Amino acid sequence: MTDIRNLDEALAGIAQPWQPHRLASINDYDLKVVKLEGEFVWHSHPETDELFLVLSGELTIQLRDRDVVLGPNDVFVVPRGVEHCPRADGEVRALLIEPQGTVNTGDAGGERTSPLRELP
Amino acid sequence: MTDIRNLDEALAGIAQPWQPHRLASINDYDLKVVKLEGEFVWHSHPETDELFLVLSGELTIQLRDRDVVLGPNDVFVVPRGVEHCPRADGEVRALLIEPQGTVNTGDAGGERTSPLRELP
């Protein structure tokens, strides 16, 4: 049986941006908490949609044809295969929902690739 | 391309408890918003885990061997096949994550069964 996890406690334990941590699993999907700050890298996930739920702060998801600006409690799904580059001008706290094994940098790879971390 | 959905606006448009509404889809999973008030029915989902994220209020998920009490920003996953009965003594606003096609009353059926609704 799983335990209760609290979003705020989980996020308080995360020091660095761009490091997704697993909060819970539902079958073969993960609910992840992450802090975002600054600009990420352009990438796409050819195999899966990616859901962003902003908890605090303002997150801009740059798409090739427009910017999607998300505030607290806004939800947006980047469809599979769509190039995007998240940018947070201040600190953003967010939830992600993705299939297990989804890599944060998608098809781009590189030094910003972060393994999925477990919460302490 | 999908649009931005806001949790608070979505929940403000829901009048009745125990009626899940689709907020977004990620591949073949749904993120649903729901209001809960009063006691539901005992049921299980033999094919899938079910994730609850409480946004406001206090939700008790009764299990056969214990009660799990969730406050704001608490997350709990009911594993597949585990009997549970949610109870909200006041109004609770919550998110659910489940595979598409998951029925709210699971294997119990009956009059509390609600079709998944689309937001206005």
Side-chain angles (χ1 to χ4, degrees), chain A residues 8 17 25 31 34 45-47 49 51 58 66 74 77 80 83 86 96 103-104 106 108 110 112 117 120:
Chain A
D8 301 307
S25 294
L31 177 65
V34 67
H45 303 282
E47 306 300 335
D49 302 337
L51 183 141
E58 184 177 284
R66 63 179 174 129
D74 281 343
V77 177
R80 69 179 67 196
E83 283 187 293
L96 305 174
V103 174
N104 65 330
R112 304 294 291 272
R117 289 169 162 82

Side-chain angles (χ1 to χ4, degrees), chain A residues 5-6 27 48-49 74-75, chain B residues 5-6 27 48-49 74-75:
Chain A
R5 303 310 288 260
N6 182 271
N27 306 320
T48 182
D49 302 337
D74 281 343
V75 171
Chain B
R5 304 309 290 258
N6 182 272
N27 306 320
T48 182
D49 301 337
D74 281 344
V75 171

